[in-house]
């Protein structure tokens, strides 16, 4: 096992802790911070797996931009602790999550080891390792979908803010 | 399977489990968004891992970047809806969404 793999496994362990913390914490602000840390570490894992552009996007967009959106939303919609207890307090039993994750993790490892499961390694295909060429020319349907989604998102944001202006 | 591969697969499955748990157990809209985000991260990790396993890194990277962009669009739109829900009803309880009209 190389040092990169060990770093990767450590990062994955910390990601799982951060994810559990993000789900369990009562403060949405702290949950957003935990999610940002998990995102940043996931970017490190992606980089170690050889996907540099995906890692760049994960760290800059998911860990940065999405966290800013979350924190803005939390700040603009701050509910007091009493209100949260009144509305959601009886419903969230998130203390079960770590137990559930540990049991599920042990069960998956046991199944994989006992069944001697192997990943279906395919025959090596003609690989194009140039991300830019693959992204811009290899999958025009993906680009079209991405462009449509970006336009839809922009339209949604414009509509939502327009409604707010009308209310004022 | 090596320890490395097992750890990635187990981590991804556990992240999906945590995300689904968060979605299922909460009525708070921002918490549900956090659950969706966690599950999406696991899916992105699995896409990258698939590319790593079969050697087609660039294609997996293209899919992962697309997934990340779609995730951001979805998050921005959902956050806008969440803010409007709060302004309309004074809480982030998704059960209030049933009352929305128009």
């Amino acid at each position: 096992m190389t040092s990169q793999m060990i770093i990767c496994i450590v990062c994955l362990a910390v990601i799982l802790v951060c994810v559990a913390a993000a789900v369990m914490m009562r403060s949405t602000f702290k949950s957003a911070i935990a999610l940002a840390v998990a995102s940043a570490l996931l970017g490190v894992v992606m980089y170690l797996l050889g996907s540099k552009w995906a890692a760049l996007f994960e760290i800059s967009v998911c860990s940065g931009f999405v966290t800013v959106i979350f924190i803005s939303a939390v700040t603009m919609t701050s509910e007091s602790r009493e209100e949260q207890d009144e509305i959601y307090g009886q419903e969230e039993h998130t203390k079960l999550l770590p137990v559930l994750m540990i049991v599920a993790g042990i069960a998956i490892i046991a199944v994989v080891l006992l069944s001697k499961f192997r990943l279906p390694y395919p025959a090596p295909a003609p690989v194009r390792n140039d991300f830019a060429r693959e992204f811009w020319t290899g999958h025009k349907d993906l680009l079209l979908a991405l462009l449509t989604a970006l336009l839809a998102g922009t339209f949604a944001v414009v509509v939502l803010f327009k409604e707010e202006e009308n209310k004022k | 399977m090596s320890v490395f591969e097992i750890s990635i697969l187990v981590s991804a499955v556990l992240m999906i489990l945590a995300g689904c748990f968060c979605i299922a157990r909460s009525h708070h809209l921002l918490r549900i968004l956090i659950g969706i985000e966690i599950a999406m991260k696991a899916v992105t990790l699995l896409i990258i891992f698939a590319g790593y396993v079969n050697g087609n890194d660039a294609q997996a990277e293209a899919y992962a970047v697309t997934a990340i962009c779609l995730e951001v669009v979805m998050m921005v739109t959902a956050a806008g809806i969440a803010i409007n829900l709060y302004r309309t009803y004074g809480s982030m309880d998704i059960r209030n969404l049933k009352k929305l009209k128009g």
Side-chain angles (χ1 to χ4, degrees):
Chain A
M1 191 181 284
T2 62
S3 59
Q4 282 193 350
M5 288 180 177
I6 293 170
I7 295 170
C8 217
I9 291 172
V10 171
C11 284
L12 287 169
V14 181
I15 286 172
L16 286 179
V17 172
C18 288
V19 161
V23 176
M24 290 176 67
M25 277 176 182
R26 301 199 68 171
S27 160
T28 327
F29 182 82
K30 288 177 186 167
S31 292
I33 300 293
L35 195 65
V37 175
S39 255
L41 289 171
L42 189 64
V44 173
V45 172
M46 285 176 176
Y47 183 82
L48 293 174
L49 286 174
S51 300
K52 296 180 177 58
W53 283 100
L56 179 72
F57 268 78
E58 181 70 31
I59 290 175
S60 62
V61 176
C62 286
S63 184
F65 184 58
V66 171
T67 307
V68 169
I69 291 169
F70 263 127
I71 290 176
S72 306
V74 170
T75 313
M76 291 168 84
T77 62
S78 55
E79 293 172 323
S80 67
R81 177 61 66 89
E82 289 76 22
E83 282 174 339
Q84 285 194 2
D85 285 347
E86 189 183 334
I87 300 171
Y88 315 105
Q90 301 299 319
E91 299 158 358
E92 297 184 39
H93 304 289
T94 52
K95 287 179 184 173
L96 281 173
L97 181 66
V99 180
L100 194 65
M101 285 175 79
I102 291 169
V103 171
I106 292 171
I108 295 165
I109 292 171
V111 167
V112 167
L113 292 180
L114 291 176
S115 66
K116 295 179 180 171
F117 176 75
R118 283 175 180 274
L119 287 171
Y121 290 99
V127 175
R128 288 180 287 178
N129 275 324
D130 185 4
F131 167 73
R133 198 193 316 161
E134 185 73 27
F135 187 71
W136 291 111
T137 61
H139 296 278
K140 289 194 173 150
D141 48 346
L142 272 186
L143 276 177
L144 190 64
L146 194 57
L147 194 63
T148 313
L150 287 173
L151 287 174
T154 312
F155 179 71
V157 170
V158 168
V159 167
L160 288 168
F161 278 95
K162 190 179 176 186
E163 194 177 343
E164 179 57 23
E165 283 173 8
N166 286 343
K167 279 180 189 172
K168 282 179 183 175
Chain B
M1 282 176 79
S2 68
V3 175
F4 177 62
E5 291 166 346
I6 290 177
S7 63
I8 289 184
L9 281 180
V10 170
S11 304
V13 173
L14 291 184
M15 281 167 75
I16 292 175
L17 181 76
C20 291
F21 184 88
C22 189
I23 294 167
R25 298 300 299 182
S26 180
H27 288 120
H28 193 289
L29 186 50
L30 282 181
R31 288 206 168 276
I32 289 173
L33 290 183
I34 286 174
I36 294 170
E37 178 89 7
I38 290 169
M40 286 284 289
K41 285 188 194 316
V43 172
T44 314
L45 177 63
L46 284 176
I47 292 171
I48 295 291
F49 181 60
Y52 174 80
V53 166
N54 69 12
N56 206 345
D57 287 346
Q59 192 176 16
E61 217 170 341
Y63 282 118
V65 168
T66 309
I68 289 169
C69 292
L70 293 177
E71 184 184 330
V72 172
V73 171
M74 191 265 293
M75 278 298 144
V76 171
T77 310
I81 292 171
I83 290 167
N84 272 334
L85 182 72
Y86 181 79
R87 283 176 181 157
T88 309
Y89 293 107
S91 89
M92 302 289 280
D93 195 342
I94 52 160
R95 286 166 290 195
N96 288 328
L97 283 172
K98 290 177 189 170
K99 300 175 195 167
L100 288 177
K101 290 176 184 172

